[in-house]
Amino acid sequence: MFDISPTEWTAILLSLRVATVATLVATPLGIAVAWLLARREFWGKALLDAVIHLPLVLPPVVTGYLLLLTFGRHGAVGAWLAEHLGLVFAFRWTGAALACGIMSFPLLVRPIRLSIEAVDRRLEQAAATLGAAPWQVFLTVTLPLALSGVLAGMVLGFAKALGEFGATITFVSNIPGETQTISSAIYALIQTPDGDAAAMRLVVVSTLMATAALIASEWFARRALLRLHGN
Amino acid sequence: MLSVDVTKQLGEFAIEASFASEGRVTGLFGASGAGKTSLVNMIAGLLRPDRGTIAIDGETLDDTSRQLHVAVHRRRIGYVFQDARLFPHLDIRKNLNYGRRMNRLAEDAALWQRVTELLDIGHLLDRRPGRLSGGERQRVALGRALLSEPRLLLLDEPLGSLDEERKEDILPYLVRLRDEAGVPMVYVSHDASEMRKLATQIAIVRRGRVTAFGGSEVLPAATEPA
């Protein structure tokens, strides 16, 4: 049963690549957004918060279709990116990474935001009185103290990106070797006669990865608490 | 020379304070809730006055008529808070070095030696703040502020979180700091005996106003708080 075929390996490795790229690109942006939401008051803050959470509540197929309209070859952004930067998303693994990045963004941002909110602002004030400019305060006090939350957010976002299905298959379809992730491979296998055993193998792999990610996320969250108590 | 002439509305509470001090240690004396901490926060730049001016040694740090407000990190004013506020993720050595690194100051072995000896914290350098006693933390906070080479040091009830015995332990360090460190200080307290021991000039703060300014004679006769 655990004889994983080359096609299945391709799907597993592609999923890992898509989720890794999505997480690495989304993290700096996620930290910036989390910091804005945690530490700044500005016009449109509620709107920004809502937009970020939208992928959590919209049907994934809607998000995928909106991505196709925007980032497709004829979409406003997609056409520009293809022409000026040679960056094509539609029906490419990069598009899968984009879809996964957007779908996992709320899960990535939330733990980071919470951990930044938990950083004692009085410590940031103390740093400022010692001569630290705002960006130095952020890099030397806020971010290190929120680091476990950042890692927890990354793990959670990564796990979500690994399993994303609806938006990805809508946006970039289900092309083996290019856009066929674990989820879309399972979907294809279930619809194929005699695909059950292969689907089951991928289900097990996918469950193991998700469980490991949850345990890692929990572990980082615990470390965050310890760090804040100064031991 | 520190001169403060500010007003600030904080909810129902109004601060309208004005004083100028040449003293090595300027005491701000008053009951809790009198507005002492808000005053000190304005000197530090953490709180912006609604109206008025703050200046040190002829350099204006706040002047609302010119919309002038020097940012906290550019003021070179050290601040020792009642709760030491040491960085929990850094060991004591890194805490002490923080101000020097942020201000890009050259390493000064003599100053380091002098401060760590003055405050008797040399043996704590490799520990984390979580492993220190309250008194040790407060001494490290003092050292950290001094090593950022401030031109003025603000001390807001630095003994406030310590029990009586610990206070008696720390007070001599503060006296030595006054006599040896060469940095002018603003010392906030509601304890008249601390004021007598430390302050060279005293401002009495009541309900957001400076009601008297002078030597220790402006303090209430008994040692009970104002």
Side-chain angles (χ1 to χ4, degrees), chain A residues 15-16 18-24 27 100-101 103-105 107-108 151-165 168 181-183 205-218:
Chain A
S15 272
L16 287 172
V18 162
T20 305
V21 169
T23 308
L24 290 181
T27 299
C100 290
M103 292 301 288
S104 63
F105 202 63
L107 291 176
L108 174 93
L151 293 173
M154 286 175 75
V155 174
L156 215 55
F158 180 79
K160 169 72 187 171
L162 267 183
E164 212 293 312
F165 173 68
T168 309
T181 59
I182 298 182
S183 311
V205 170
S206 152
T207 310
L208 286 176
M209 289 198 289
T211 311
L214 277 179
I215 291 171
S217 170
E218 192 63 26

Side-chain angles (χ1 to χ4, degrees), chain A:
Chain A
M1 149 115 200
F2 265 95
D3 198 9
I4 295 174
S5 76
T7 338
E8 291 156 38
W9 267 120
T10 309
I12 293 169
L13 291 177
L14 182 73
S15 272
L16 287 172
R17 172 157 56 139
V18 162
T20 305
V21 169
T23 308
L24 290 181
V25 174
T27 299
L29 197 64
I31 292 174
V33 168
W35 181 81
L36 277 176
L37 292 175
R39 283 290 191 259
R40 285 279 177 270
E41 292 306 321
F42 53 92
W43 189 89
K45 180 171 170 173
L47 188 69
L48 176 66
D49 202 13
V51 167
I52 286 164
H53 283 92
L54 219 46
L56 218 51
V57 287
L58 272 182
V61 63
V62 171
T63 308
Y65 187 58
L66 289 174
L67 280 173
L68 192 57
L69 290 180
T70 320
F71 289 95
R73 279 202 178 263
H74 303 293
V77 183
W80 190 91
L81 285 174
E83 191 181 327
H84 293 91
L85 300 175
L87 195 58
V88 177
F89 288 109
F91 308 109
R92 299 278 177 85
W93 74 269
T94 45
L98 177 66
C100 290
I102 287 176
M103 292 301 288
S104 63
F105 202 63
L107 291 176
L108 174 93
V109 168
R110 195 173 167 75
I112 304 179
R113 176 185 179 168
L114 289 176
S115 65
I116 289 178
E117 278 171 355
V119 172
D120 193 340
R121 301 191 79 152
R122 294 173 308 166
L123 292 174
E124 298 175 340
Q125 288 184 338
T129 67
L130 290 163
W135 65 271
Q136 289 175 311
V137 174
F138 177 75
L139 287 181
T140 61
V141 177
T142 319
L143 196 56
L145 286 173
L147 190 61
S148 305
V150 173
L151 293 173
M154 286 175 75
V155 174
L156 215 55
F158 180 79
K160 169 72 187 171
L162 267 183
E164 212 293 312
F165 173 68
T168 309
I169 202 164
T170 312
F171 182 31
V172 295
S173 185
N174 189 357
I175 310 161
E178 181 68 42
T179 63
Q180 188 174 75
T181 59
I182 298 182
S183 311
S184 34
I186 294 174
Y187 175 72
L189 285 167
I190 294 171
Q191 305 212 316
T192 320
D194 310 323
D196 292 352
M200 206 55 210
R201 282 196 289 275
L202 287 177
V203 165
V204 171
V205 170
S206 152
T207 310
L208 286 176
M209 289 198 289
T211 311
L214 277 179
I215 291 171
S217 170
E218 192 63 26
W219 185 77
F220 285 127
R222 264 175 224 278
R223 272 185 50 107
L225 275 177
L226 274 177
R227 225 183 154 92
L228 286 170
H229 289 104
N231 290 306

